[in-house]
Amino acid sequence: MKFTLSWLKDHLDTSASLDEIVETLTRIGLEVEGVEDKAKSLAPYKVAYVISAEQHPNADRLRVCMVDTGEGAPIQVVCGAPNARTGMKSVFAPPGTYIPGKNITLGVGTIRGVESAGMLCSAAELEISDDHDGIIDLPADAPVGQAYAAYARLDDPVIEINLTPNRPDCTSIHGIARDLAAAGLGTLKGDAVPPVSGKGASPVSVTLDFAPGDEKLCPAFALRLVRGVKNGPSPEWMQRRLLSIGLRPINALVDITNYMTFDRGRPLHVFDAKKVKGNLTVRRAKDGEEVLALDGRTYRLDPGNVVIADEDGVESIAGIMGGEHSGCDENTTDVLIESALWDPLNIAQSGRRLGIITDARYRFERGVDPAFTVPGLDLATKMVMDLCGGEASEAIVAGQVPETRRVIAFPWSEVPRLSGLDVQPMESKQILEKLGFRIEGEGKSISVIPPSWRPDIEGKADLVEEVIRIAGVDRIAPQPMPRLEAAVAKPILTLIQKRTVLARRGLAVRGLVEAVTWSFIAKSEAELFGGGDGRLALANPIAADLSDMRPSLLPGLMKAAQRNADRGFGDVALFEVGQTFASDEPEGQAIKAAAVRRGTARAEGVGRHWNGGASSVDVFDAKADAMSLLATLGIPAGGLQVVAGGPSWFHPGRSGTLQFGPKNVVGAFGEVHPKILKALDLKGPLVAFEINLNALPPPKAKPTKMKAKLTLPDFQPISRDFAFVVGRDVAAGDIVKFAQGAERQLITGVNVFDVYEGPGIDEGKKSVAIAVTLQPTEKTLTDAEIEAVSAKIVAEVGKKTGAVLRS
Amino acid sequence: MTDLKELERDLISQVETAGDEAAVESVRVSALGKKGSVSELLKTLGAMTPEERKERGPLINGLRDRVQGAIAARKEVLAEAALDARLAAERVDVTLPVQEGPETRGRIHPISQVIEELSAIFADMGFSVADGPDIETDYLNFTALNFPEGHPAREMHDTFFLAPDEKGERKVLRTHTSPVQIRTMMSQKPPIRVVIPGRTYRHDSDQTHTPMFHQVEGLVIDKQANIAHMKWVLEEFCKAFFEVDQVKMRFRPSFFPFTEPSAEVDIQCSRKGGEIRFGEGEDWLEILGCGMVHPNVLRNCGLDPDEYQGFAWGMGIDRIAMLKYGMPDLRPFFEADVRWLNHYGFRPLDIPSLVSGLTS
């Protein structure tokens, strides 16, 4: 919402400065977005007289001008404008002036050997129009030395406020003035509009043609004919104001409607009465009906749009934009002025569907003051007669202006209760009354009747806001909020919140860098990673490759790794802990932790190194990350199973599934499947893991924080090595498990320390060497006892896996 | 006498010139071995008269002791030299670089770090952390929060929609974390003090907007909480978060459908050379929106607005991260460029706490 200072002063009798006004507007909730004060920005530019303009001795296209600036001796200026001539008046800028159109600050210079101390300016250089054909050519009577902005009447500051959608009353300059007056910045003017008594009935009648229940689409429609007008350009003052706020003057009749829209927040429409056939009907549009609107475009309508039609069809889209056919031009002699009320919701939807944004729609969808329907018509009529002459008919009103009166019971204590500021009832009362609220009753609780232009006021809280925004929110002193309990704060994070935080730290400690990638990915990617459910597809994605809610963090991370590689950083290790989506229900959302490692980005070190290294990442790097994460989260390894093979996005022979039983899969790790690399346009080596943190078992509830009792055996542990030859397909994990199971009490550790295939081992076989730790608890083991345990291990592993001791 | 002196001089000289341990040993054998020269002399003592023995004994024994001492000393010198030689041979180039450890290579994303920072601050003020789903119903994202159907305020939200279900209802990606306010008020009784950090989505993408971003919302509901308390909470938060002793904040009346009265809050700062400093200067930076929870919202959650009251606020996590840590643009937050993450990210063990400070 834009307006000028002088326009505001039509409605506000004030001695406040521009700065005070601007500061107050923001303070009371009408946030000032910008102020354009040409009197300030164009201050150095003065009207000047060109005493002489002679050919430059060294340049065909330049002239040397002697300029009278109204003070001191004439100044020599070199000028390149074709229209620079002796005896003209133009606009002069002295050295030191900033020229906005050129983004330079003038200095004293020498141009082709001739000194030049300033500049004669074009309108484009001052950024007041696009005209850069020559320097500004002023009439002979322009007073030399006067500030150009004042001379050209460009000195009316333009203020733009960022209006919140709840304040339709401030889509009018009158409304803004009312707020400022309430805030103590002056007195509101022009509140009362004298009625216009027309002569004779309007020859055109209006019918509101709505099905029962639809009447709210147009509760009231006021109309009046003015005969014998002379339409032409509107007066200069009106044009200037409209131009200042970015509107293009058209002709007096149209300009009056635009002026009223801003001046009073009252959009109007004018029809050329001679182009209207028969009477007017207000109704829903018929499906497929078309109208050529004032913006020169043809709109195809449907029953969601409300129209004003005559016998020939649609003449105007209600509350949004008029039709070209019955629009007013310089030939208009009889004009029908419309002041109507429309349903805000319908106008909003209708305008959105048609894609039309107008000042009328902006106001109607927020809520135009119903009580001002007829006064608005009267005020417009008066302006038409003042500016264009003519004779007005009586007004007709179809429908009925709705009653907005409502009473809010308001205890004055509500202000301190909600705000913490003890505003005295007297002050609250004054504020509300200045804003147009009526107050009835006395004592601790009174009745408040909001004005017709404030549809946003519903209840007590709204009244508190009115009082404190005008009284000043800065008057409220911060007040410490006491603790709920006088006690040490309790821990606040939930299990999943704690695990999320811990997972991030734990993964970062492994050299992984945390990324935050989009929650939405391409449909094709979602499908590759087990998603792609239609219910998780966005109806209006921002881009085709950000269309579906992600089932997994991996596609985003993998692509991020590749982007880094494409920039020359191929050894990259990224992780993310974030939400994934299995359904559109809250239960379908899970927090997962995932990581990718690319190139040589291993936990132990990255890239080539004099001390070894530079080996590519492999499945065991991913497994190590996954196992480390589970350990960091304190997940007991006891029930965890690592099963060969994983989901389809991993290499089937180089991946594993992490589960607590077949029905409780918590994650997987592996080398990325070559098909995935191809589909996502990735280059390996690339390994990854992903674990669903929501699927991990919660810690066991314990009555105390005591750790299990520590018993330290008095006897040294001993270690025995076994090298087994087994089939290539036997899982090392099984050998470990069976060895462990051979003597549960005694065996406290089994470690695989060598795996070998090759010469010396038969084809299809491998050697797996394990070190078994025996921890005696009661006495030192004899050789015979150790032998017995060893034999048991060999027998057990042999029986279960077919392993034999390597000879 | 002379013989003994000569023998001693000879033996000591041999010991001192012995070049290695073997040479020392052969001297020892030749002197102190079974048939060594000194041993032989010692043997003669047995055949002497007591007088002779009394005279010769100390001389021969003294000779033996000095030779023994010389041998031991020589051995020590030689062992020392051998060790020195070994150590010299074992020398390595310690200027060779070591591999950088994973604990310094890893990084925490600034958004995660800031969420931990603000959780620590609000925990101290008695708030817990609530969360909710990113995919919300239209009711919880809008209607329950007092956004009337068709209200222009809905349009301002640039909502992402999912496909409509069988009943024609379409879910949305939450446009703010505020639906979690409703979920919280529906599921727990006042007094309520929660903060709600999370991902939010709006159909908007340009230099300063990304279709996904992060917000933190706060909610206080009890029977007294008012704007004065809200101002205190927000000021304390800003001081603690930006780690400054003073902040100056400006509360501008504004509008949000779910609060009444509402305000937008600016924080005073100076900008010199691209660096933002809080607690000084003349500029105002918008930092958050807040207000008293709207009576309709309380009613929608089954709370009587004449009995219960409270306030709520919301701010951009990405935005306050940018203000505190100086990232100039929002878009790189989500681009996973390791150069950016290495620079703006936090080391794995930079754990924010009020005990040791939010930042090191």
Side-chain angles (χ1 to χ4, degrees):
Chain A
M1 172 72 190
K2 273 185 175 178
F3 56 94
T4 74
L5 183 61
S6 77
W7 200 343
L8 175 70
K9 287 183 173 176
D10 280 3
H11 297 275
L12 185 69
D13 194 355
T14 184
S15 54
S17 68
L18 177 63
D19 285 349
E20 276 174 281
I21 290 171
V22 165
E23 194 231 316
T24 306
L25 285 168
T26 295
R27 191 172 61 78
I28 62 176
L30 303 173
E31 186 192 3
V32 175
E33 191 124 290
V35 178
E36 194 189 349
D37 187 0
K38 287 221 163 75
K40 221 180 211 170
S41 62
L42 297 182
Y45 298 87
K46 299 275 164 60
V47 176
Y49 175 66
V50 180
I51 303 166
S52 65
E54 283 163 14
Q55 186 59 46
H56 190 291
N58 307 322
D60 288 350
R61 296 188 170 199
L62 299 179
R63 262 163 284 268
V64 180
C65 303
M66 293 310 289
V67 178
D68 175 8
T69 65
E71 53 185 41
I75 291 169
Q76 178 172 292
V77 174
V78 174
C79 180
N83 64 338
R85 62 184 189 278
T86 300
M88 80 182 295
K89 284 194 176 161
S90 188
V91 176
F92 174 75
T97 305
Y98 174 73
I99 310 289
K102 289 199 155 163
N103 192 21
I104 54 161
T105 299
L106 289 180
V108 177
T110 303
I111 301 172
R112 297 267 184 128
V114 178
E115 192 182 272
S116 180
M119 185 165 143
L120 292 164
C121 304
S122 71
E125 281 154 351
L126 270 60
E127 286 191 332
I128 52 174
S129 87
D130 296 334
D131 186 359
H132 49 75
D133 284 347
I135 53 175
I136 296 170
D137 203 341
L138 295 176
D141 63 356
V144 171
Q146 190 183 4
Y148 173 66
Y151 170 77
R153 301 205 179 168
L154 296 169
D155 56 348
D156 192 5
V158 180
I159 301 164
E160 181 170 13
I161 59 171
N162 185 5
L163 200 57
T164 52
N166 61 324
R167 293 300 302 278
D169 61 310
C170 287
T171 62
S172 94
I173 295 164
H174 190 70
I176 293 167
R178 184 189 297 114
D179 257 32
L180 286 170
L185 245 59
T187 320
L188 183 66
K189 293 196 286 186
D191 226 3
V193 175
V196 172
S197 51
K199 283 186 191 138
S202 165
V204 178
S205 73
V206 181
T207 309
L208 306 183
D209 181 14
F210 290 103
D214 263 2
E215 296 89 352
K216 66 175 193 312
L217 294 178
C218 179
F221 189 104
L223 187 76
R224 166 180 275 140
L225 178 73
V226 183
R227 269 201 197 89
V229 299
K230 192 177 173 309
N231 196 16
S234 59
E236 204 222 330
W237 63 266
M238 183 180 275
Q239 292 201 23
R240 206 164 44 235
R241 281 187 176 173
L242 293 176
L243 280 168
S244 302
I245 60 167
L247 293 179
R248 188 166 52 94
I250 313 281
N251 57 50
L253 292 173
V254 174
D255 291 355
I256 287 168
T257 64
N258 287 333
Y259 192 84
M260 284 284 294
T261 299
F262 280 81
D263 192 69
R264 296 285 176 161
R266 188 357 118 180
L268 303 158
H269 185 61
V270 286
F271 300 91
D272 186 328
K274 292 198 169 153
K275 296 177 192 162
V276 172
K277 191 170 177 197
N279 292 318
L280 293 177
T281 304
V282 185
R283 57 169 170 81
R284 283 183 182 273
K286 292 167 194 154
D287 216 350
E289 235 174 349
E290 288 190 345
V291 62
L292 174 63
L294 281 168
D295 62 0
R297 293 172 57 193
T298 298
Y299 293 93
R300 195 182 158 86
L301 307 173
D302 64 46
N305 309 118
V306 175
V307 297
I308 298 128
D310 65 4
E311 286 176 8
D312 283 341
V314 177
E315 291 296 348
S316 172
I317 308 169
I320 297 174
M321 191 179 274
E324 177 69 31
H325 169 258
S326 54
C328 290
D329 57 29
E330 57 277 14
N331 301 316
T332 302
T333 57
D334 297 353
V335 60
L336 283 165
I337 311 172
E338 164 207 318
S339 174
L341 277 178
W342 309 107
D343 176 43
L345 184 52
N346 172 264
I347 296 296
Q349 290 169 341
S350 183
R352 201 179 313 148
R353 267 209 316 281
L354 294 170
I356 308 177
I357 297 168
T358 60
D359 293 320
R361 172 190 162 189
Y362 179 81
R363 284 160 180 77
F364 280 120
E365 68 187 12
R366 282 163 173 74
V368 164
D369 180 6
F372 200 69
T373 309
V374 175
L377 180 62
D378 285 344
L379 194 55
T381 306
K382 184 171 182 306
M383 281 183 103
V384 167
M385 294 198 297
D386 286 352
L387 301 183
C388 308
E391 194 180 64
S393 78
E394 288 166 1
I396 52 169
V397 180
Q400 204 170 17
V401 172
E403 177 59 68
T404 59
R405 186 189 146 93
R406 57 209 182 277
V407 179
I408 300 167
F410 189 59
W412 292 120
S413 60
E414 202 65 0
V415 177
R417 176 173 91 103
L418 294 183
S419 72
L421 181 67
D422 200 7
V423 182
Q424 292 303 302
M426 188 56 118
E427 187 184 355
S428 297
K429 183 166 185 275
Q430 261 177 13
I431 288 170
L432 290 172
E433 282 178 343
K434 278 193 170 177
L435 290 171
F437 292 79
R438 270 179 45 217
I439 288 172
E440 290 175 356
E442 279 175 23
K444 288 186 173 170
S445 184
I446 42 96
S447 297
V448 179
I449 297 126
S452 59
W453 56 81
R454 291 299 300 270
D456 58 308
I457 303 294
E458 285 176 16
K460 293 181 286 188
D462 302 291
L463 299 176
V464 173
E465 172 164 271
E466 292 306 298
V467 170
I468 63 146
R469 82 180 169 88
I470 299 295
V473 188
D474 42 357
R475 269 170 59 186
I476 305 173
Q479 190 183 326
M481 190 169 72
R483 282 177 182 274
L484 287 175
E485 289 172 59
V488 173
K490 296 215 166 69
I492 56 158
L493 295 186
T494 60
L495 177 63
I496 188 70
Q497 287 166 348
K498 276 196 286 194
R499 286 184 168 174
T500 301
V501 170
L502 200 52
R504 287 196 179 108
R505 299 282 165 190
L507 291 171
V509 164
R510 294 189 52 79
L512 290 154
V513 173
E514 188 186 11
V516 174
T517 68
W518 304 117
S519 295
F520 17 61
I521 56 176
K523 183 165 218 74
S524 56
E525 293 161 13
E527 284 166 348
L528 286 172
F529 286 81
D533 182 341
R535 282 170 306 172
L536 288 168
L538 297 176
N540 56 335
I542 198 135
D545 60 348
L546 300 174
S547 63
D548 283 54
M549 300 311 287
R550 59 185 182 186
S552 159
L553 306 174
L554 291 174
L557 286 174
M558 289 176 184
K559 290 178 75 179
Q562 186 61 42
R563 282 199 303 276
N564 281 294
D566 293 344
R567 281 188 213 105
F569 299 85
D571 295 324
V572 54
L574 294 172
F575 79 95
E576 182 166 5
V577 182
Q579 52 275 70
T580 58
F581 305 86
S583 81
D584 62 354
E585 295 298 323
E587 305 74 47
Q589 184 168 328
I591 299 286
K592 290 184 183 171
V596 298
R597 290 184 183 273
R598 192 188 179 284
T600 68
R602 312 182 63 201
E604 305 82 69
V606 180
R608 295 190 295 171
H609 193 255
W610 60 268
N611 200 15
S615 61
S616 291
V617 293
D618 63 31
V619 58
F620 297 104
D621 293 299
K623 181 179 178 183
D625 287 335
M627 300 307 278
S628 159
L629 173 61
L630 292 174
T632 298
L633 296 179
I635 307 297
L640 181 72
Q641 300 163 341
V642 180
V643 181
S648 58
W649 47 91
F650 286 129
H651 185 310
R654 293 183 177 180
S655 60
T657 298
L658 298 163
Q659 61 185 45
F660 292 89
K663 287 196 174 150
N664 193 5
V665 172
V666 298
F669 60 87
E671 228 174 85
V672 179
H673 198 293
K675 282 184 180 168
I676 293 286
L677 295 181
K678 196 173 169 210
L680 299 186
D681 200 12
L682 311 172
K683 282 204 187 75
L686 188 64
V687 300
F689 88 87
E690 185 165 46
I691 287 176
N692 182 347
L693 300 189
N694 287 94
L696 296 175
K700 282 204 183 103
K702 285 186 213 154
T704 71
K705 297 293 166 192
M706 303 271 282
K707 296 196 179 228
K709 190 168 175 252
L710 174 64
T711 38
L712 295 174
D714 292 333
F715 309 96
Q716 278 200 18
I718 52 171
S719 183
R720 283 292 177 274
D721 294 351
F722 303 85
F724 289 110
V725 175
V726 287
R728 207 173 163 257
D729 292 337
V730 172
D734 286 345
I735 295 174
V736 170
K737 189 172 72 186
F738 297 134
Q740 179 89 57
E743 185 65 76
R744 290 216 165 272
Q745 295 301 312
L746 212 49
I747 298 172
T748 55
V750 180
N751 183 35
V752 179
F753 68 86
D754 187 50
V755 178
Y756 173 76
E757 283 176 58
I761 300 292
D762 290 347
E763 190 80 3
K765 301 267 183 189
K766 65 180 173 186
S767 157
V768 177
I770 58 173
V772 176
T773 306
L774 305 175
Q775 176 62 64
T777 52
E778 280 151 19
K779 63 181 192 67
T780 305
L781 297 178
T782 63
D783 285 352
E785 283 163 335
I786 294 170
E787 275 314 308
V789 174
S790 297
K792 235 171 157 180
I793 291 169
V794 173
E796 184 69 12
V797 174
K799 193 174 91 190
K800 296 276 174 61
T801 67
V804 292
L805 274 186
R806 190 174 170 183
S807 48
Chain B
M1 265 312 270
T2 319
D3 293 353
L4 284 182
K5 283 233 158 94
E6 213 157 281
L7 180 61
E8 182 173 345
R9 222 176 8 253
D10 186 39
L11 284 173
I12 296 291
S13 153
Q14 282 183 45
V15 167
E16 281 175 354
T17 55
D20 54 25
E21 222 165 321
V24 178
E25 184 61 14
S26 83
V27 178
R28 188 192 66 81
V29 170
S30 73
L32 302 172
K34 266 190 177 164
K35 300 220 164 124
S37 49
V38 179
S39 303
E40 290 299 333
L41 284 171
L42 284 165
K43 283 180 196 159
T44 61
L45 288 175
M48 287 180 193
T49 64
E51 291 73 26
E52 271 177 329
R53 203 181 296 135
K54 201 174 179 183
E55 186 203 331
R56 294 284 287 176
L59 292 176
I60 296 171
N61 278 321
L63 168 65
R64 182 198 61 193
D65 289 350
R66 283 189 295 278
V67 172
Q68 265 178 347
I71 287 171
R74 185 63 188 160
K75 277 190 173 171
E76 201 165 309
V77 167
L78 286 173
E80 192 86 357
L83 182 59
D84 284 349
R86 194 185 107 206
L87 291 179
E90 285 173 358
R91 181 193 176 89
V92 297
D93 178 1
V94 296
T95 66
L96 279 169
V98 295
Q99 288 268 62
E100 191 188 356
E103 70 288 348
T104 59
R105 272 184 279 130
R107 284 292 181 278
I108 295 290
H109 196 285
I111 290 173
S112 304
Q113 186 79 8
V114 165
I115 290 176
E116 284 189 43
E117 290 183 21
L118 58 89
S119 301
I121 297 167
F122 283 117
D124 186 68
M125 289 198 263
F127 287 77
S128 54
V129 179
D131 35 36
D134 295 23
I135 301 176
E136 267 297 359
T137 60
D138 182 273
Y139 177 77
L140 288 173
N141 194 73
F142 290 122
T143 313
L145 287 158
N146 198 36
F147 283 76
E149 202 74 50
H151 193 274
R154 277 196 180 205
E155 237 185 294
M156 287 162 60
H157 271 223
D158 300 315
T159 312
F160 279 110
F161 295 99
L162 286 98
D165 65 9
E166 309 78 43
K167 283 180 266 169
E169 281 171 19
R170 50 185 192 174
K171 291 196 169 167
V172 302
L173 296 189
R174 64 178 179 192
T175 56
H176 44 188
T177 42
S178 314
V180 187
Q181 285 186 28
I182 305 293
R183 290 178 176 274
T184 305
M185 283 188 273
M186 302 285 276
S187 64
Q188 79 184 73
K189 280 203 156 4
I192 292 171
R193 289 183 187 184
V194 291
V195 289
I196 306 149
R199 280 190 185 189
T200 48
Y201 307 86
R202 293 196 193 176
H203 198 279
D204 201 352
S205 184
D206 57 37
Q207 268 320 97
T208 53
H209 296 89
T210 48
M212 178 184 94
F213 55 103
H214 295 76
Q215 268 193 351
V216 59
E217 191 111 354
L219 176 70
V220 172
I221 301 286
D222 56 29
K223 294 183 177 179
Q224 298 87 33
N226 61 35
I227 296 175
H229 296 122
M230 177 172 81
K231 282 183 117 175
W232 181 81
V233 168
L234 294 174
E235 279 194 16
E236 289 303 307
F237 168 74
C238 285
K239 281 194 285 187
F241 178 75
F242 292 112
E243 302 180 61
V244 292
D245 293 333
Q246 283 307 319
V247 289
K248 197 166 166 197
M249 296 170 87
R250 180 171 79 173
F251 288 69
R252 279 183 288 108
S254 189
F255 168 74
F256 305 106
F258 39 97
T259 49
E260 188 76 33
S262 307
E264 279 183 334
V265 180
D266 303 328
I267 182 165
Q268 196 176 47
C269 66
S270 74
R271 299 188 220 216
K272 280 180 214 140
E275 197 174 45
I276 297 176
R277 285 166 185 264
F278 297 100
E280 57 182 72
E282 291 303 317
D283 280 335
W284 292 100
L285 258 177
E286 189 179 323
I287 170 164
L288 62 94
C290 60
M292 296 297 292
V293 177
H294 197 290
N296 291 348
V297 175
L298 292 172
R299 274 185 217 110
N300 289 339
C301 298
L303 297 173
D304 176 359
D306 285 325
E307 186 182 0
Y308 291 105
Q309 61 188 71
F311 53 86
W313 72 89
M315 63 186 132
I317 292 174
D318 327 71
R319 180 166 169 78
I320 60 172
M322 287 166 76
L323 293 178
K324 182 169 181 179
Y325 294 112
M327 301 81 161
D329 299 311
L330 176 60
R331 301 194 61 86
F333 276 72
F334 310 112
E335 284 171 356
D337 183 333
V338 287
R339 295 169 299 176
W340 189 92
L341 293 168
N342 282 333
H343 182 78
Y344 287 113
F346 292 81
R347 288 168 305 181
L349 298 178
D350 286 341
I351 298 172
S353 85
L354 293 182
V355 178
S356 56
L358 296 181
T359 49
S360 46

